[in-house]
Amino acid sequence: MLLKLKKIYKEYRTEEILTTSLNNICVNIQAGEFVAICGPSGSGKSTLLNVMGLLDEPTKGSYEFDGKEVTTCSEREISYIRKLNVGFIFQDFNLLSDMSVEKNVELALLYHNVSKSMRKKRVDEILERMEISHRAKHKASQLSGGQQQRVAIARALVSKPKIIFADEPTGNLDSLRSAEVLNLLRELNSFGSTVIMVTHSEDQAKSCERIITMLDGKIISDSKKNTITPKN
Ligand code: ADP
Ligand code: ADP
C-alpha cells in the first residue's frame, strides 16, 4: 500500500476554540490510483491533502508513507521523503516571484541527483509541454494567473514524482486549459504516477476512478468506479 492513514486527527486550537479538521480518518491509497477528494468548503479536503503530502503533521494517528511510519520521523527526514516522492500543485502556486520561470521549475530537480545538462533538458521539455517556453526567462511575478499555474504544474511534474497532490489544480484556468491539465494528469497516471486531487468540479470528480467525499472532517463516502461503500 502506498499511503496508509489510520485514525488520523488534525486539531487546531485557537484561543478557546478547538477545530477538528480531520476526525478519525482511515484511508488507504494504492500506487497508481487516480483519486478525487470532494466535499463542501471547510470540510477538511486541503488539510487531508497536506497531511497526505507530508506538508502538515497530524495531531494523532498513524501514517505509513510507502511502508514507512512517518509520524515519528524528524522534520528533516520528512522533508527529504517529500522532495523525492511528491509533487504539489496548489491553487496559489507558491512560486518564487523574483526568480525566473525556468529557475522555479529547475529547483524541483535539485534534490534528484540530475546533472545540470539533464536538468535543462527536462525543464525545457516540460515548459514546452505546458506551452510556457516563451516566458522561460521572465520572473514568475511577471506572468498572468493562468501562466503561473502552468509553471506551477511544470514544477510539480518535472521530477516525475511518484505521487502528485493537486489542490484545485484547474481553479484559475479556462475550460480548455482545465481539460489539458486533466489530460496531462491522466497521462502521468497512466505512466504510473499516483494522483490525488481536491476538486469542486463534479465533472472532474466523476472522471476519476475513485471519489472520496468529506464532511466536517470525516470521510462520508469512498467510492470506486462500479462499487460504492458508504461510511458513517
Ligand atoms: P477545505 O479544504 O475542505 O475547504 P480545510 O481543510 O481548508 O477545508 O479546512 C478544514 C477546517 O480546518 C476548517 O474549519 C478550517 O477553518 C480549519 N483550519 C484549516 N487550517 C487551519 C489553521 N491553520 N488554523 C485553524 N483552523 C484551520
Ligand atoms: P523545507 O526545506 O523547510 O523542508 P521545502 O523547501 O521542502 O521546505 O518546502 C517549502 C515549501 O515549498 C512548502 O511549504 C511547500 O509549500 C512548497 N513545496 C515543497 N515541496 C514542493 C513540491 N514538491 N512541489 C511544489 N511545492 C512544494
Side-chain angles (χ1 to χ4, degrees):
M1 198 57 68
L2 186 57
L3 309 181
K4 212 167 174 174
L5 288 82
K6 228 185 284 171
K7 299 189 181 167
I8 288 286
Y9 289 81
K10 179 71 184 179
E11 292 165 347
Y12 292 103
R13 194 178 286 281
T14 36
E15 289 157 23
E16 294 305 297
I17 305 160
L18 179 76
T19 311
T20 306
S21 302
L22 297 179
N23 189 346
N24 194 15
I25 297 289
C26 297
V27 67
N28 292 337
I29 312 269
Q30 269 179 310
E33 285 195 271
F34 198 125
V35 185
I37 302 178
C38 305
S41 175
S43 57
K45 304 180 297 294
S46 295
T47 307
L48 179 60
L49 203 74
N50 289 347
V51 166
M52 283 179 164
L54 304 174
L55 286 174
D56 215 350
E57 260 181 275
T59 312
K60 57 181 176 179
S62 150
Y63 182 20
E64 276 179 39
F65 186 102
D66 207 7
K68 188 175 174 67
E69 178 64 50
V70 283
T71 51
T72 52
C73 286
S74 66
E75 287 259 347
R76 250 188 96 165
E77 278 177 283
I78 292 201
S79 162
Y80 185 72
I81 296 171
R82 185 175 63 226
K83 281 169 185 153
L84 282 191
N85 294 290
V86 169
F88 288 98
I89 306 170
F90 297 105
Q91 209 172 3
D92 56 3
F93 321 128
N94 285 1
L95 296 174
L96 298 166
S97 51
D98 277 340
M99 217 177 251
S100 72
V101 162
E102 56 187 9
K103 198 76 199 161
N104 263 283
V105 176
E106 187 187 355
L107 277 180
L109 283 174
L110 283 188
Y111 297 89
H112 287 263
N113 199 18
V114 179
S115 69
K116 195 163 191 307
S117 59
M118 185 51 83
R119 286 205 299 272
K120 173 147 182 34
K121 183 167 177 280
R122 300 254 297 259
V123 169
D124 288 350
E125 270 170 16
I126 192 82
L127 291 180
E128 186 97 354
R129 186 75 208 271
M130 295 312 299
E131 294 177 36
I132 195 75
S133 303
H134 59 300
R135 292 284 181 270
K137 308 279 183 207
H138 285 63
K139 286 182 182 176
S141 58
Q142 296 170 324
L143 305 187
S144 72
Q147 289 174 332
Q148 289 190 39
Q149 185 137 18
R150 273 140 61 206
V151 176
I153 293 169
R155 179 193 55 190
L157 305 183
V158 72
S159 61
K160 303 184 177 146
K162 194 180 272 184
I163 315 180
I164 297 159
F165 292 97
D167 198 344
E168 297 278 355
T170 60
N172 294 288
L173 301 179
D174 59 40
S175 59
L176 189 65
R177 294 233 184 259
S178 296
E180 280 170 11
V181 168
L182 256 272
N183 284 337
L184 187 64
L185 288 174
R186 265 199 211 100
E187 190 182 314
L188 287 155
N189 179 247
S190 73
F191 287 129
S193 290
T194 304
V195 180
I196 305 177
M197 170 175 80
V198 167
T199 180
H200 268 110
S201 153
E202 236 174 79
D203 285 343
Q204 280 183 11
K206 275 190 199 139
S207 74
C208 297
E209 273 167 37
R210 178 173 175 189
I211 306 177
I212 292 175
T213 309
M214 298 193 65
L215 186 67
D216 294 338
K218 295 184 178 170
I219 292 176
I220 55 162
S221 94
D222 185 350
S223 66
K224 289 190 188 175
K225 281 257 160 81
N226 306 323
T227 50
I228 297 183
T229 332
K231 283 199 168 186
N232 46 26

